[in-house]
Amino acid sequence: MRLFLLFFLVTLRLGAQTWTEVAPGIWKARIGKPEAYDLLTAAAVSPDKKGLAALGTATFPLNKADVKATAADGKTYLRFPLQKQEQLYGFGLQFQHVHQRGRIFNLHVDHYGNTDNGRTHAPVPFYVSSEGYGVFINSARYLTVYAGSAVRLDSPNPPPVQDRNTDPNWSAHPYSDAVEVLVPATGVDVYVFAGPKTLDAIRRFILFQGGGCLPPRWGLGFTQRVHRLYTADQVLKEAALFEEKEYPLDFIGLEPGWQSASYPCTFEWDKTRFPDPAAFVNTLGKKKVRVNLWTNPYVSPKAPLYPAIKPYAGSHSVWVGAVPDLTIPAAKKVYWDKFDREHVSIGVSGYKIDEVDGGDAWLWPDVATFPSGHSAEQIRQTYGLLVQQQSTELYHRKNQRTYGLVRASNAGGASFPYVIYNDNYSHQDFITALINSGYSGVLWTPEVRASKTGEEWLRRMQTVCFSPMAMINAWASGTQPWSFPEVADQVKAIARLRMQMMPYWYSEFAKYHFQGIPPFRSMQLEEGFAPDIRQEKTNTNLEENPYAVAVAREIRDQYMAGEYLLVAPVFTGQTSRKVVLPKGKWYDFYTGKYAGDGEVITVEPGLDKIPVFVKDGGIIPFMPPLLHAPVAGEKTDLEIRVYGSRERSYELYDDDGETYDYEKGRYSWRKITVRKQADGKLSGTVSAPGPGQPDSYGQITFRFMTN
Amino acid sequence: MRLFLLFFLVTLRLGAQTWTEVAPGIWKARIGKPEAYDLLTAAAVSPDKKGLAALGTATFPLNKADVKATAADGKTYLRFPLQKQEQLYGFGLQFQHVHQRGRIFNLHVDHYGNTDNGRTHAPVPFYVSSEGYGVFINSARYLTVYAGSAVRLDSPNPPPVQDRNTDPNWSAHPYSDAVEVLVPATGVDVYVFAGPKTLDAIRRFILFQGGGCLPPRWGLGFTQRVHRLYTADQVLKEAALFEEKEYPLDFIGLEPGWQSASYPCTFEWDKTRFPDPAAFVNTLGKKKVRVNLWTNPYVSPKAPLYPAIKPYAGSHSVWVGAVPDLTIPAAKKVYWDKFDREHVSIGVSGYKIDEVDGGDAWLWPDVATFPSGHSAEQIRQTYGLLVQQQSTELYHRKNQRTYGLVRASNAGGASFPYVIYNDNYSHQDFITALINSGYSGVLWTPEVRASKTGEEWLRRMQTVCFSPMAMINAWASGTQPWSFPEVADQVKAIARLRMQMMPYWYSEFAKYHFQGIPPFRSMQLEEGFAPDIRQEKTNTNLEENPYAVAVAREIRDQYMAGEYLLVAPVFTGQTSRKVVLPKGKWYDFYTGKYAGDGEVITVEPGLDKIPVFVKDGGIIPFMPPLLHAPVAGEKTDLEIRVYGSRERSYELYDDDGETYDYEKGRYSWRKITVRKQADGKLSGTVSAPGPGQPDSYGQITFRFMTN
């Protein structure tokens, strides 16, 4: 005789009364009894009310009756409707796919392991739909997501039953009319973000977290992370070489060897390699080169900090080092005070915080316990948020902006000035991650480390210069921009182009901050972009493809950079590539020549160039190719490049570039306006900065790229 | 201010009073409040008390104080100690590794996806140690296992802290002194199995489940699964070809086309292809060829059974078909009555039950609900057990043994006469799975489907003939044993060798049943086997291996088959291979020549042979190369091959080969004894069967293989 369990299954009706509009176009439903500690609690950020208000009001974008929640088995089951033709995007930093409908994820902070299964550096539980809305599940648990893969027996609109014996169109993945999510907790807060456009839903999601981060100007320059065992002298020599060879350099990253012991860490300078850290940082600072420090957060038993942090440590070690429970205020204080004392107070500009992602084999296990009582799972889902939030706060207290690197983030982290990176090194996957970062409110750098050939070196350098952080990470290899002499000139050219475009990048990041628009994002968010997304059976050999699984075509190798630029990277071995141009006229970035309109073009850019196209009416402000970002108060000239023949305007952002004074209103949006004159020719004007506001620009000229 | 959770964390002391000896050498601890539905409940099997008693008594193999359980976060955390030099094996049907220490698993029924991460067809939560004990966690949940990967901060014997800056021996995976398991439930029953040898712990685990399965004799012959759309005439013609070409054939498997619709299924014969199923089965039966039917368990809305099963179906479909909740007795009855009526009663010999493993994309999601109230997770972990147990029961009621195929199993399933298979087709991984099957009480077939070359075809055929089921699965390709004319003779030879060895295979399966000894198992269980298991850094290039992860050498390409045989498969492209011979003399299976003793030898077997070695004193009973297994009462001659010079005896099992009468004592163990005569030559004797017991053997001769 089989024993029967009591059948606890409660379906909650999510009617009109359940949804509270918490900001214009953002609704929250509290389901069951949510846990006190969630992603937004960990991030400890507040919505940008002004930015959200500017987006206007909207109506609830789903049929409320179609959103369902069930409590069963001690968990919460969520269900959101899908229309037949809807496509889904997001669910965090995925590396291989942009279209997410039909996929299954276990959202879990981890190193990306070559499969888009939800284990990633930023498993943000947020998705947007091609129908123009977004959904966010505010849980610090490992969520299992069925993004349109499961078919209910009682579906009101089920797919047809097919007989595989006779029906060649039989599919192992029949159409599903819902996104379903398993939340392993007895309750959760769910948010819905209105459009009307998909980008609007993303913007609301980012502004709800306080807006995207605004890096300091120098953060958008060029950065070199030097060999892990370099001494102070070697670092100074390397900086001098950059100067001498005229390669831009804004900050240098020191890798593990700056510490007296690493993996786990002491957070103390190694005095044999860095005998006088303050003088070292100061020397570089005088040359306008800042210092960023690598660390992982795990405290070595050899660290002087260890006795003070041990009472706040989790049960399990990472590499025998203590894991501080940074949800405890006392732990946070003792921990970051150390960083302040040893590094920030002597001028260190920021951090690269490593290994907060995983992998499982060395991170604390899910059976670890923490003194706060938060579970290992919750701490894992939020540790990247905690280190970002707390280190940012440290700099914020000093009214000094920082810009660094981190290996894990999550929802709530959009405003933190950190860029995600990893150890994977697939150039293609790096670009797909860059595309997907824009869906999840995170930043990603396709960092350059080493290369087998000069071609690869240059191709990687071209894309990293069109990303949130233009970086060489030479920790293992000691590479330098000029390591491949056959492409050293081209590398210098692209690094200098990066510097020239700083006014554009800076303005685009300001739009990320104030308007929630991701600076790097998917083509699907661009109006007029409609690639062929038919499902096609790629392999009908049953031996190799026994379930006849169809594969969707998707564009994962071109992206939008800022308001106007379409970037189409070329990978090693390619001499030509296809580029899908959205509807509307597009122009070559380098020549201003007309390139196409709503069509697929083939380009052969040669080795020197990364294909970049500018939208009709595009306005790109350039500055001279300085070797270092201008400091506060320093004036640079502007050359405003204009593409196509359309009248348009551009918002040029300006502030001091280094402090948080913009939070007190110390900034300007200067309007660049391009109009047709009576003779049909274009001419441009730029409005003045607000009275008493910073003014970073000297002589301003216009260059009309298209004849 | 951060909100703090109440800190629920209770560490249970698992002292002497906690452990109850439930059978000699088997202890159980009840931790917290276990769930009513677990793996053993689903399997509904009883321990073989007689077999367990024969293994004798033992003392608790661990330090009880070192076994710990903690209740936290609504889950149960378990901790078992590890000694420094201990190696771990098991955790279910892994495909790439035999050594499991240091690995992390999420034990989850699923199709094997090219990574040993715990998602597999039989994620059996049981492990054994080289120190000679076993641990089983009786939970039908997805268990997260840290098999010696996590280091506690308070470890009494922690690994040294290493500075990666200076220490070239720094390891990302420091030594851990425990296996830790997260059970996502508020309680669980845990079992510990004593040795003293590792194999003894496995035997206790298998006998605790009722012993391994004893297939019918015909199950150990040769089987062909024909093209999925074959008609009755085509099948009969294929069977006639086997007869005509003199290839052995014991049962034919029909693939989806026998059903009127498939994926999901109707369980009804397609009358266009099989106009008279009973006559068809009967015609083959007269030729001593049985019929096995493919199915998956999911009920098509077009099936006549659908209305009756729908009230017992889960919330979600598989390919729009209903998933019967087979934990409900009424569902089980209506379901299997259909199978009885349509198939079993007309003589069908068994089933191949497909797609009970996953994958996630088509199986019910974890948010599915079932009318019994069991969670989707629990149903998934046990569905393979349920279909095996219930179909076996159907045959048991008819006193008729069956032998079939299934895609998922779990702990509790050892006694079910089913062999696991999958869609993966890596010959190497197939052999590793065969090795690992023995650690988990499951059977695995490295089935042959198609091949690119005759060489591959023959190499695969050689190993499948030294496995629990010698099978070609031609569902997709329509291959036949003679499909590669250049190796057709060799294929026939190996298939005939399979038949000749039937008395050996049958006796070894009887030892699986009565004594719990897995017929196919790892070299590590063989005394005198001590391969070099040093850790070695295989790649010191930090760009490619940033965490300097060492890889353990392990033997995953040779295995033991029955009491005496060491099988060392050759893979496509190899002309020679190394074989690790345990200590003790070993002889060539084919020639009887001395091969080595506790050493690594290199063999060049040629294409015709799979290298097989026999332990000193090995006794292998052969019968003539019949084309079909002998039926009940049919007598065959025996040639007993003897290897080496040692005196030894062998237990030859005999019964009617087809019914369950052995459960009522209708069987014999006949003792084959080899002794040295006064002249130093060996001679052999065989004891008679018990009075009134079946006697399957006619003339018995001895062949001394070693001069």
Side-chain angles (χ1 to χ4, degrees):
Chain A
M1 283 292 113
R2 208 170 286 289
L3 282 172
F4 270 75
L5 295 177
L6 280 173
F7 186 28
F8 291 114
L9 198 141
V10 182
T11 299
L12 308 169
R13 295 179 185 284
L14 295 185
Q17 73 288 359
T18 315
W19 292 98
T20 310
E21 192 165 6
V22 293
I26 306 178
W27 295 263
K28 169 178 164 178
R30 173 148 290 194
I31 291 156
K33 195 173 183 303
E35 302 183 280
Y37 187 71
D38 56 33
L39 297 175
L40 295 181
T41 316
V45 289
S46 306
D48 175 355
K49 287 181 187 168
K50 197 174 151 196
L52 286 168
L55 269 174
T57 57
T59 55
F60 193 84
L62 294 167
N63 183 350
K64 283 176 183 166
D66 292 340
V67 182
K68 284 174 179 145
T70 305
D73 195 33
K75 305 180 180 77
T76 306
Y77 300 0
L78 305 173
R79 181 174 170 84
F80 304 92
L82 286 179
Q83 303 300 315
K84 194 106 187 177
Q85 293 306 325
E86 217 168 331
Q87 187 50 270
L88 301 175
Y89 308 99
F91 300 109
L93 193 65
Q94 310 300 332
F95 285 77
Q96 298 188 320
H97 299 282
V98 177
H99 298 173
Q100 309 301 354
R101 186 167 183 167
R103 298 195 179 280
I104 297 166
F105 304 103
N106 185 250
L107 298 177
H108 190 131
V109 169
D110 200 352
H111 186 80
Y112 160 60
N114 296 308
T115 314
D116 279 350
N117 58 10
R119 284 189 173 244
T120 177
H121 307 266
V124 178
F126 172 72
Y127 68 92
V128 287
S129 157
S130 56
E131 297 296 302
Y133 65 90
V135 172
F136 165 52
I137 296 141
N138 182 21
S139 169
R141 295 284 176 179
Y142 303 146
L143 306 181
T144 306
V145 176
Y146 301 87
S149 78
V151 183
R152 283 184 69 93
L153 214 56
D154 65 1
S155 169
N157 180 22
V161 180
Q162 290 174 300
D163 172 21
R164 196 179 181 185
N165 292 338
T166 54
D167 189 341
N169 292 319
W170 179 86
S171 162
H173 294 185
Y175 156 76
S176 158
D177 62 5
V179 174
E180 301 199 71
V181 182
L182 186 148
V183 182
T186 53
V188 70
D189 285 337
V190 176
Y191 295 81
V192 167
F193 299 82
K197 285 188 271 177
T198 307
L199 181 59
D200 297 327
I202 296 170
R203 292 176 63 186
R204 290 184 206 272
F205 175 61
I206 290 169
L207 291 168
F208 189 64
Q209 303 168 50
C213 77
L214 179 60
R217 265 200 181 86
W218 56 262
L220 301 175
F222 196 88
T223 178
Q224 171 82 7
R225 304 200 71 85
V226 298
H227 188 278
R228 68 195 182 285
L229 294 177
Y230 267 16
T231 62
D233 282 349
Q234 286 173 303
V235 178
L236 293 172
K237 208 165 140 193
E238 180 126 324
L241 274 176
F242 270 77
E243 198 78 27
E244 182 187 318
K245 291 174 181 281
E246 299 189 324
Y247 285 78
L249 181 64
D250 266 300
F251 58 113
I252 271 189
L254 304 186
E255 290 285 319
W258 72 268
Q259 295 200 42
S260 59
S262 73
Y263 299 88
C265 293
T266 60
F267 320 113
E268 306 260 316
W269 292 87
D270 181 298
K271 291 296 172 69
T272 62
R273 283 185 289 265
F274 293 86
D276 187 345
F280 165 78
V281 173
N282 191 40
T283 304
L284 280 173
K286 282 188 191 148
K287 295 172 191 277
K288 294 188 180 175
V289 177
R290 284 160 185 82
V291 174
N292 175 292
L293 297 180
W294 171 94
T295 199
N296 65 48
Y298 313 115
V299 188
S300 171
K302 294 174 181 165
L305 180 62
Y306 191 77
I309 211 70
K310 208 182 165 206
Y312 307 112
S315 58
H316 286 68
S317 75
V318 177
W319 299 309
V320 206
V323 182
D325 186 340
L326 294 174
T327 68
I328 299 175
K332 173 179 155 182
K333 179 161 172 41
V334 69
Y335 191 74
W336 295 104
D337 279 359
K338 174 77 181 176
F339 283 68
D340 189 0
R341 214 161 45 238
E342 303 283 335
H343 323 134
V344 182
S345 67
I346 64 167
V348 165
S349 73
Y351 294 97
K352 171 185 178 182
I353 307 179
D354 210 7
E355 282 107 13
V356 286
D357 51 337
D360 285 347
W362 52 80
L363 217 69
W364 60 90
D366 288 347
V367 292
T369 54
F370 284 85
S372 64
H374 299 316
S375 69
E377 173 184 8
Q378 291 170 310
I379 298 287
R380 180 148 180 182
Q381 293 294 71
T382 58
Y383 215 75
L385 287 176
L386 293 171
V387 295
Q388 288 180 82
Q389 191 272 331
Q390 296 177 13
S391 57
T392 302
E393 196 176 282
L394 177 56
Y395 280 97
H396 196 271
R397 278 205 305 270
K398 295 178 187 293
N399 194 27
Q400 183 186 332
R401 276 185 254 172
T402 180
Y403 198 47
L405 292 149
V406 73
R407 270 264 285 260
S409 193
N410 213 323
S415 71
F416 303 139
Y418 280 93
V419 182
I420 304 174
Y421 65 100
N422 74 6
D423 282 315
N424 201 282
Y425 204 50
S426 158
H427 196 186
Q428 282 85 345
D429 290 359
F430 272 17
I431 299 309
T432 307
L434 187 56
I435 291 168
N436 282 323
S437 66
Y439 285 120
S440 294
V442 297
L443 300 173
W444 164 260
T445 174
E447 65 172 30
V448 182
R449 296 205 294 263
S451 291
K452 292 198 171 62
T453 63
E455 178 195 4
E456 182 193 343
W457 185 249
L458 179 56
R459 289 307 188 196
R460 288 182 178 275
M461 203 67 74
Q462 287 169 345
T463 54
V464 85
C465 285
F466 280 86
S467 89
M469 189 179 283
M471 173 173 69
I472 292 173
N473 179 10
W475 81 290
S477 56
T479 48
Q480 294 155 320
W482 49 87
S483 282
F484 293 85
E486 68 273 31
V487 294
D489 286 345
Q490 291 98 319
V491 168
K492 190 192 287 187
I494 191 82
R496 288 163 68 104
L497 177 61
R498 169 80 180 187
M499 296 305 286
Q500 287 177 282
M501 292 173 71
M502 194 173 275
Y504 179 69
W505 299 130
Y506 196 57
S507 292
E508 294 305 318
F509 268 92
K511 288 169 195 168
Y512 186 37
H513 177 68
F514 290 99
Q515 301 169 23
I517 303 170
F520 299 90
R521 59 192 188 279
S522 167
M523 294 306 307
Q524 270 81 6
L525 298 171
E526 194 61 24
E527 266 185 279
F529 182 75
D532 183 356
I533 55 165
R534 276 177 308 158
Q535 298 275 324
E536 45 186 30
K537 285 194 187 180
T538 50
N539 184 347
T540 57
N541 178 340
L542 285 173
E543 292 285 354
E544 293 162 9
N545 190 20
Y547 291 98
V549 172
V551 174
R553 270 196 208 164
E554 50 183 349
I555 304 298
R556 52 171 289 212
D557 61 356
Q558 62 180 72
Y559 59 95
M560 292 299 296
E563 189 168 346
Y564 295 117
L565 301 182
L566 185 166
V567 183
V570 176
F571 302 111
T572 306
Q574 289 182 332
T575 52
S576 72
R577 63 157 290 167
K578 288 186 175 174
V579 181
V580 182
L581 297 176
K583 278 179 196 143
K585 290 180 183 167
W586 292 82
Y587 298 88
D588 183 275
F589 173 68
Y590 305 97
T591 63
K593 281 190 188 149
Y594 175 75
D597 178 347
E599 63 195 288
V600 180
I601 62 170
T602 299
V603 294
E604 290 183 49
L607 186 58
D608 296 1
K609 293 270 186 303
I610 175 172
V612 179
F613 301 91
V614 190
K615 205 188 299 192
D616 193 13
I619 294 169
I620 317 286
F622 274 54
M623 71 174 198
L626 306 181
L627 295 186
H628 313 285
V631 296
E634 181 179 346
K635 270 193 164 44
T636 60
D637 292 343
L638 267 193
E639 179 190 87
I640 296 169
R641 299 195 184 174
V642 180
Y643 293 81
S645 55
R646 194 166 159 177
E647 294 188 327
R648 197 167 269 197
S649 63
Y650 180 76
E651 299 289 328
L652 177 71
Y653 179 75
D654 196 12
D655 66 10
D656 65 27
E658 295 182 10
T659 76
Y660 284 97
D661 285 353
Y662 67 85
E663 291 182 347
K664 299 162 204 149
R666 296 270 298 150
Y667 65 89
S668 290
W669 287 105
R670 298 178 64 180
K671 190 163 202 156
I672 304 176
T673 307
V674 172
R675 291 274 172 267
K676 272 187 185 148
Q677 291 175 288
D679 61 1
K681 285 190 179 164
L682 295 171
S683 91
T685 54
V686 182
S687 67
Q693 298 289 20
D695 182 0
S696 307
Y697 300 111
Q699 191 186 332
I700 299 180
T701 54
F702 280 82
R703 183 167 160 200
F704 297 95
M705 297 292 291
T706 308
N707 294 325
Chain B
M1 281 295 110
R2 211 171 283 289
L3 282 174
F4 270 74
L5 293 176
L6 280 173
F7 186 29
F8 291 114
L9 198 142
V10 182
T11 299
L12 308 169
R13 296 182 183 280
L14 294 184
Q17 72 290 359
T18 316
W19 292 98
T20 310
E21 191 165 4
V22 293
I26 306 178
W27 294 264
K28 169 177 163 177
R30 172 149 291 194
I31 291 156
K33 197 171 180 302
E35 302 184 281
Y37 186 71
D38 56 32
L39 297 176
L40 296 181
T41 317
V45 289
S46 307
D48 175 354
K49 288 181 187 167
K50 198 174 148 193
L52 286 168
L55 269 174
T57 57
T59 54
F60 193 85
L62 295 167
N63 183 351
K64 282 176 183 166
D66 292 340
V67 183
K68 285 176 179 143
T70 305
D73 195 32
K75 304 180 182 77
T76 306
Y77 300 180
L78 305 173
R79 182 173 168 83
F80 304 92
L82 285 179
Q83 303 301 315
K84 195 104 187 177
Q85 293 307 323
E86 219 169 331
Q87 186 49 271
L88 301 175
Y89 308 99
F91 299 110
L93 194 66
Q94 310 299 332
F95 284 76
Q96 298 189 320
H97 299 283
V98 177
H99 297 174
Q100 308 301 354
R101 186 166 182 168
R103 298 195 180 281
I104 296 166
F105 304 103
N106 186 250
L107 297 178
H108 189 131
V109 169
D110 200 352
H111 186 80
Y112 160 61
N114 296 310
T115 314
D116 279 350
N117 57 11
R119 286 191 171 243
T120 175
H121 306 266
V124 178
F126 172 72
Y127 68 92
V128 287
S129 157
S130 57
E131 296 295 302
Y133 66 88
V135 173
F136 165 52
I137 296 141
N138 183 21
S139 170
R141 294 283 176 181
Y142 304 146
L143 306 181
T144 306
V145 176
Y146 302 86
S149 78
V151 182
R152 284 183 68 92
L153 215 56
D154 64 2
S155 170
N157 180 23
V161 181
Q162 290 173 302
D163 171 22
R164 195 179 182 187
N165 291 340
T166 54
D167 188 342
N169 292 318
W170 179 86
S171 163
H173 293 184
Y175 155 76
S176 157
D177 62 4
V179 174
E180 300 200 71
V181 182
L182 186 149
V183 182
T186 54
V188 69
D189 286 337
V190 177
Y191 295 81
V192 167
F193 299 82
K197 284 187 271 178
T198 307
L199 181 58
D200 297 326
I202 295 170
R203 291 176 63 187
R204 290 183 208 272
F205 176 61
I206 289 169
L207 290 168
F208 190 64
Q209 303 168 51
C213 77
L214 178 59
R217 265 199 182 86
W218 57 260
L220 300 176
F222 197 87
T223 179
Q224 171 83 6
R225 304 201 70 86
V226 298
H227 189 278
R228 68 195 182 285
L229 294 177
Y230 266 15
T231 62
D233 283 348
Q234 287 174 302
V235 178
L236 293 171
K237 208 165 139 190
E238 180 125 325
L241 274 176
F242 271 77
E243 197 79 27
E244 182 188 318
K245 291 175 181 281
E246 299 189 322
Y247 284 77
L249 182 63
D250 267 301
F251 58 112
I252 271 190
L254 304 186
E255 290 284 319
W258 72 269
Q259 295 199 44
S260 59
S262 73
Y263 298 87
C265 293
T266 61
F267 319 113
E268 307 260 317
W269 293 87
D270 181 298
K271 291 296 172 70
T272 61
R273 283 185 288 266
F274 293 86
D276 186 346
F280 166 77
V281 173
N282 191 40
T283 303
L284 281 173
K286 281 188 192 147
K287 295 173 191 275
K288 294 187 178 173
V289 177
R290 284 160 185 82
V291 173
N292 175 292
L293 297 180
W294 170 95
T295 197
N296 66 47
Y298 313 116
V299 188
S300 171
K302 294 175 182 166
L305 180 62
Y306 190 77
I309 211 72
K310 207 182 165 206
Y312 307 113
S315 59
H316 286 67
S317 75
V318 176
W319 298 310
V320 206
V323 182
D325 186 340
L326 294 174
T327 68
I328 298 175
K332 173 179 156 182
K333 180 162 173 38
V334 70
Y335 191 73
W336 295 105
D337 279 358
K338 174 77 181 176
F339 283 69
D340 189 1
R341 215 159 46 237
E342 303 281 335
H343 323 135
V344 182
S345 69
I346 64 165
V348 165
S349 72
Y351 294 97
K352 171 185 177 181
I353 307 178
D354 210 7
E355 282 107 14
V356 286
D357 51 336
D360 285 347
W362 51 80
L363 217 69
W364 61 90
D366 287 347
V367 291
T369 53
F370 285 85
S372 64
H374 299 317
S375 69
E377 173 183 8
Q378 293 171 309
I379 298 287
R380 179 147 179 183
Q381 294 294 70
T382 59
Y383 214 76
L385 288 176
L386 294 171
V387 296
Q388 287 181 81
Q389 191 273 330
Q390 296 177 12
S391 56
T392 302
E393 196 176 283
L394 177 55
Y395 280 97
H396 196 272
R397 278 207 304 272
K398 295 179 187 292
N399 194 27
Q400 184 186 332
R401 276 184 253 170
T402 180
Y403 198 48
L405 292 149
V406 73
R407 270 265 284 259
S409 193
N410 213 323
S415 71
F416 303 139
Y418 280 92
V419 182
I420 304 173
Y421 66 100
N422 75 5
D423 282 316
N424 201 283
Y425 203 51
S426 157
H427 195 187
Q428 281 86 342
D429 290 359
F430 272 17
I431 299 309
T432 307
L434 188 56
I435 290 168
N436 282 323
S437 66
Y439 285 119
S440 295
V442 298
L443 299 173
W444 164 261
T445 175
E447 66 172 29
V448 182
R449 297 204 295 262
S451 291
K452 291 198 171 63
T453 63
E455 179 196 1
E456 182 193 344
W457 185 249
L458 179 57
R459 288 308 189 196
R460 289 182 179 274
M461 202 67 74
Q462 288 169 345
T463 54
V464 84
C465 285
F466 281 85
S467 90
M469 189 179 282
M471 173 173 69
I472 292 173
N473 179 9
W475 82 290
S477 57
T479 48
Q480 294 154 320
W482 50 88
S483 282
F484 292 85
E486 68 274 31
V487 293
D489 286 344
Q490 291 98 319
V491 168
K492 190 191 286 188
I494 191 82
R496 289 164 67 105
L497 177 61
R498 169 80 179 185
M499 296 305 286
Q500 288 178 280
M501 293 173 70
M502 193 175 276
Y504 178 71
W505 298 129
Y506 196 56
S507 292
E508 294 304 317
F509 267 93
K511 289 168 195 168
Y512 187 36
H513 178 67
F514 290 100
Q515 301 169 21
I517 303 170
F520 298 91
R521 60 192 187 280
S522 166
M523 294 307 307
Q524 270 82 5
L525 297 172
E526 194 59 25
E527 266 185 277
F529 182 76
D532 183 357
I533 54 167
R534 276 176 307 159
Q535 298 275 325
E536 45 186 28
K537 287 193 185 179
T538 49
N539 185 346
T540 56
N541 179 338
L542 286 173
E543 291 286 353
E544 294 163 8
N545 190 19
Y547 290 98
V549 172
V551 173
R553 269 196 211 164
E554 51 182 348
I555 305 298
R556 53 170 289 212
D557 61 355
Q558 61 180 75
Y559 59 95
M560 293 299 297
E563 191 168 345
Y564 294 117
L565 301 182
L566 186 167
V567 183
V570 176
F571 302 112
T572 306
Q574 291 182 330
T575 52
S576 72
R577 64 158 289 169
K578 288 185 175 174
V579 181
V580 182
L581 297 176
K583 278 179 196 144
K585 291 178 182 167
W586 291 82
Y587 298 88
D588 183 275
F589 173 68
Y590 305 99
T591 64
K593 281 190 188 149
Y594 175 74
D597 178 348
E599 63 196 288
V600 179
I601 61 170
T602 298
V603 293
E604 290 183 49
L607 187 58
D608 295 3
K609 294 270 186 302
I610 174 172
V612 180
F613 301 92
V614 190
K615 204 188 299 192
D616 193 14
I619 293 168
I620 316 288
F622 273 56
M623 70 173 199
L626 306 179
L627 296 186
H628 313 287
V631 296
E634 182 180 344
K635 270 193 163 45
T636 60
D637 292 342
L638 267 193
E639 180 189 86
I640 296 168
R641 298 195 184 174
V642 180
Y643 293 81
S645 55
R646 192 165 161 177
E647 294 187 329
R648 198 167 269 198
S649 64
Y650 181 75
E651 300 288 329
L652 177 73
Y653 179 76
D654 195 12
D655 66 8
D656 66 26
E658 295 182 9
T659 76
Y660 283 99
D661 286 354
Y662 67 84
E663 291 182 347
K664 298 161 203 146
R666 297 269 298 149
Y667 66 90
S668 291
W669 287 105
R670 297 178 65 180
K671 191 163 201 158
I672 302 175
T673 308
V674 172
R675 290 276 171 267
K676 271 189 187 148
Q677 291 174 289
D679 62 0
K681 284 190 179 162
L682 295 172
S683 91
T685 55
V686 182
S687 67
Q693 297 290 19
D695 181 0
S696 306
Y697 300 111
Q699 191 186 330
I700 299 179
T701 54
F702 280 82
R703 183 167 161 199
F704 296 94
M705 298 292 291
T706 306
N707 295 324

